[in-house]
Amino acid sequence: MTPHREAAGMFFPGFDTHRVTANGTDIHLRKGGDGPPLLLLHGYPQTHVMWHPIAERLAERYTVICPDLRGYGDSAKPASDDRHAPYSKRAMAADQVAVMAHFGFDRFQVVGHDRGARVGHRMALDHPDRVARLAVLDIVPTRDVFRTADQALATAYYHWFFLIQSDGLPEHMIGLDPEYYLRDKLRRWSRVPDAFDERAVQEYLRCFRAPATIHATCEDYRAAATIDLEHDEADLHLRVQCPLLALWGELGFVGQMYDVPAVWRERADHVTGDGLACGHFLVEEAPEETLAALQAFLD
């Protein structure tokens, strides 16, 4: 058994491993539980393993699907283009709609953290008939981040502006010591000591060390600063129609910078929200509180 399969079994007991060709891209995922379908989308620089503190308990009530986003984890890293379209949130959302359709789920609930929440936001706009409920963890919409950028944001979100640089600059610099970079991200963005299971961190590192992953994840951010903004501008007349739960870390930058529910009410019709006593990584820093909030929100 390969190391990542051993880790998956340890973190997701009772879950099956699948590889689904969706939207032309191979998506690696875990599937477990029985009940209404629930899609969990991870963030940067992690993989689906970030859901390990709560996935098994959610599977007591739901059919839980935990994929690696395209470009991340053990999912495929398709070639990009000059517009970064293969890593647009529109493309990434289409992947996951196809994944859910593969399992026979035409309508489902979505919980996304960080980049996964941005994919969930785009999914709710592009596929409103598919998304029954959406929970977004520790983000405000991408367009709002760029429109409110100031020195404080640029300092806290320096990676947004570093990763979008062209000609392989971030790929080269991160590639010199990817472990240092990843561990520094976990440290800088968290506020709860010893929040991360070292076995999970080793899984993040196993995937993130690959040059293809480093490049693909840079492309994710390049798309956010270009084609995603074009899509957002074109769709300003659209609003998220399903119920939306916004959770954020009160001790992190998002909670301190924004009135998170107020920002989301400009983009969605039915918004509730709550801050948790943690930093950016809600699921790993405050698993019980995150689980309770999600269970109260989800159907």
Side-chain angles (χ1 to χ4, degrees), residues 265-280:
R265 288 187 182 109
E266 296 177 2
R267 303 280 176 257
D269 290 335
H270 310 286
V271 177
T272 55
D274 195 14
L276 306 182
C278 62
H280 177 62

Side-chain angles (χ1 to χ4, degrees), residues 195-228:
F196 300 100
D197 187 320
E198 178 59 24
R199 298 167 300 177
V201 175
Q202 288 300 319
E203 266 296 284
Y204 305 150
L205 284 169
R206 179 185 66 81
C207 297
F208 190 74
R209 284 189 181 105
T213 302
I214 295 172
H215 173 64
T217 55
C218 289
E219 284 296 294
D220 173 12
Y221 279 83
R222 289 169 181 141
T226 54
I227 193 169
D228 288 345

